Amino acid sequence: MARRQRWPDSTKRALVDVAERLFTEHGYSATSLDAIVAGADVTKGALYHHFSGKQAIFEAAFERVESRATAGIARATEGHRDPWLKAQAGLRAFLGAVQEPGYRQIVISDGPSVLGHERYREREERSTYAIVDEIVRSALGGGDWDLDDAMLDTFTRIFFGAMSAAGGAVAVSEDPAAAALRVEAAIGFVLAGLQRLLEEGVGSPDPGATSRT
Amino acid sequence: MARRQRWPDSTKRALVDVAERLFTEHGYSATSLDAIVAGADVTKGALYHHFSGKQAIFEAAFERVESRATAGIARATEGHRDPWLKAQAGLRAFLGAVQEPGYRQIVISDGPSVLGHERYREREERSTYAIVDEIVRSALGGGDWDLDDAMLDTFTRIFFGAMSAAGGAVAVSEDPAAAALRVEAAIGFVLAGLQRLLEEGVGSPDPGATSRT
DNA sequence: TTCTGTACATACCGACGGTACGTACCTTCA
DNA sequence: TGAAGGTACGTACCGTCGGTATGTACAGAA
């Protein structure tokens, strides 16, 4: 019955295509394997031949969606020499990527709980997070502060979390363009504050220095 | 068999007790209603008498965990007059609350996907988020910047996202105390930058002002 | 005493994730 | 060339789980 005989790659691609669409539209738990295989016009035997289970095909869709976003952001940031301009370009690209429904649902919403925070961190560590980390390091690491790795990592986490939350707010906003501009302005202002402190040679933010009085 | 006859409040409490524990330990989808009712020594009839379904009992556990955290943070922030000190106290309390396993699993991890981002936002809007919002407004709204509501809301989202991400990083860190200090230092530095800009009377971050060149 | 509402227990259904097994087709090699 | 083995599925089935329908013991009102 299935006319997709003897060409396995197209079957696998079709499954991931349908899975990405359904996971995006209805979320992970509300998407049944029966619906996926029906959409791809195959049976569960085919799915379980190519994937070890529901989580595995979700991961395939996850990877595809995220690599698209990562590539877009990387493309936007390359070519900038000034780290602050690079940060701004990266932020803008991130805010654009996060408005894609697939990214919001699969990566941000279902990703952590389905893959587990462990595997999720591992994946993010090598993609979007890595870009943010690179930008943060080039912007803050170059100064005369002696920020160690742990401290730079903390800054990256903070900025990544801020951007993710901001992206979500932008995505659900009734006027995403205006919301994106506000986010750019706010983060730009935060960056300007840091830049000012850098220029003025304020002491590095050591643990304890700003935690008391 | 169930000796908890004719005392409905204790049954309901026992159900939420067990549900909170199991949801915390195994997550939402990996926790079955059978396990909950078995732990509370009742049957599904009792559960469905008190709650409309799995999502409802999850919400009960969610509310309890979150109200605990909110109360703790509110207790830590009250009594501070200086908004920047208040922000620091609130941040410290938040970083403490977020290390509780129940908060991490139920509120942060499962909350959004189970309740739906809609209901999740509504709940957060009136609890933890409200505290952050109040702090942000008292710290940034009082200056000579003329930040409108939308802009203040953007700042709140950004800080809330940053603190959530930082909290997660603190919680999974091998040395949570040191990680919390780093987060305090980093956010404190960001706040110091903003404070400096405020003092120097830099123009308000209007959309577009910092987004070009 | 009868009636009504509460607070459960019991039995059962349908959906879903996963597994076991069968099979058509292709490639390989004696 | 044909037997053997592997690939790429299809089919049938099972266990679990969320949810429902129904029964029932008991307490208080009338």
Side-chain angles (χ1 to χ4, degrees):
Chain A
M1 187 63 74
R3 72 283 116 106
R4 206 186 326 275
Q5 289 175 358
R6 311 303 112 202
W7 204 197
D9 279 6
S10 85
T11 298
K12 193 168 184 176
R13 269 193 43 194
L15 281 169
V16 180
D17 283 346
V18 177
E20 181 189 335
R21 208 188 70 227
L22 294 182
F23 282 142
T24 298
E25 288 175 8
H26 310 110
Y28 179 77
S29 64
T31 299
S32 72
L33 295 185
D34 287 336
I36 294 178
V37 298
D41 205 16
V42 291
T43 63
K44 292 215 293 191
L47 191 150
Y48 272 89
H49 174 72
H50 290 288
F51 303 96
S52 62
K54 191 181 185 182
Q55 183 173 329
I57 197 176
F58 175 83
E59 243 181 283
F62 180 98
E63 177 144 358
R64 183 193 284 187
V65 171
E66 205 205 28
S67 69
R68 269 209 309 269
T70 304
I73 300 173
R75 212 178 309 119
T77 57
E78 71 187 9
H80 284 94
R81 269 176 305 275
D82 180 72
W84 303 90
L85 289 179
K86 187 175 188 173
Q88 232 170 55
L91 170 60
R92 194 167 301 148
F94 182 84
L95 291 178
V98 87
Q99 292 184 49
E100 191 208 343
Y103 190 86
R104 288 184 52 209
Q105 183 66 44
I106 295 180
V107 176
I108 295 182
S109 180
D110 288 332
S113 61
V114 173
L115 302 181
H117 283 66
E118 211 70 5
R119 295 183 61 80
Y120 181 75
R121 285 270 188 232
E122 287 175 20
R123 294 226 169 253
E124 283 289 89
E125 216 80 27
R126 280 174 274 146
S127 54
T128 325
Y129 185 85
I131 299 179
V132 178
D133 191 53
E134 185 211 331
I135 295 176
V136 166
R137 283 171 191 276
S138 66
L140 299 183
D144 45 346
W145 302 346
D146 51 339
L147 296 175
D148 57 359
D149 251 31
M151 204 58 208
L152 283 172
D153 206 66
T154 302
F155 271 107
T156 302
R157 292 245 176 260
I158 288 175
F159 277 108
F160 189 73
M163 287 165 59
S164 294
V170 165
V172 302
S173 169
E174 51 204 12
D175 187 351
L181 280 179
R182 280 197 297 272
V183 170
E184 283 187 38
I187 293 191
F189 216 59
V190 169
L191 292 179
L194 288 177
Q195 211 169 359
R196 180 64 53 95
L197 290 182
L198 248 179
E199 288 167 0
E200 295 178 359
V202 182
S204 81
D206 272 320
T210 53
S211 60
R212 276 294 159 196
T213 60
Chain B
M1 188 62 73
R3 70 282 117 111
R4 205 187 327 275
Q5 290 174 358
R6 311 302 115 199
W7 205 192
D9 279 7
S10 85
T11 298
K12 193 168 185 177
R13 268 193 44 195
L15 280 168
V16 180
D17 283 346
V18 178
E20 181 189 334
R21 208 188 70 228
L22 294 181
F23 282 143
T24 298
E25 288 175 7
H26 310 110
Y28 180 77
S29 64
T31 299
S32 71
L33 295 184
D34 287 334
I36 294 178
V37 298
D41 205 17
V42 290
T43 62
K44 292 216 291 194
L47 192 149
Y48 273 90
H49 175 72
H50 290 287
F51 304 96
S52 63
K54 191 181 185 182
Q55 184 173 329
I57 196 177
F58 174 83
E59 245 181 281
F62 180 97
E63 177 143 357
R64 183 193 284 186
V65 171
E66 204 204 27
S67 69
R68 269 208 309 267
T70 303
I73 300 173
R75 210 178 311 120
T77 57
E78 71 188 9
H80 283 95
R81 271 176 303 276
D82 181 74
W84 302 92
L85 288 179
K86 188 175 188 173
Q88 232 169 55
L91 169 61
R92 194 168 300 147
F94 182 84
L95 291 178
V98 87
Q99 291 183 48
E100 191 206 342
Y103 190 87
R104 288 184 52 210
Q105 184 66 44
I106 294 180
V107 177
I108 296 182
S109 180
D110 288 333
S113 60
V114 173
L115 302 182
H117 283 65
E118 212 68 8
R119 294 183 62 78
Y120 180 75
R121 286 272 187 230
E122 287 175 21
R123 293 224 169 254
E124 282 292 88
E125 217 81 26
R126 281 175 275 145
S127 55
T128 326
Y129 185 86
I131 299 178
V132 178
D133 191 52
E134 185 211 330
I135 295 176
V136 166
R137 282 173 192 274
S138 66
L140 298 184
D144 44 345
W145 303 346
D146 51 339
L147 296 176
D148 57 359
D149 252 31
M151 203 59 206
L152 283 171
D153 204 67
T154 302
F155 270 107
T156 302
R157 291 245 177 260
I158 288 175
F159 276 108
F160 189 73
M163 286 165 59
S164 294
V170 164
V172 302
S173 169
E174 51 203 13
D175 187 353
L181 280 179
R182 280 197 296 272
V183 169
E184 282 188 39
I187 292 191
F189 216 61
V190 169
L191 291 179
L194 288 177
Q195 212 170 358
R196 179 64 53 95
L197 290 180
L198 247 179
E199 288 166 2
E200 295 178 359
V202 182
S204 83
D206 274 319
T210 54
S211 59
R212 277 291 163 200
T213 60

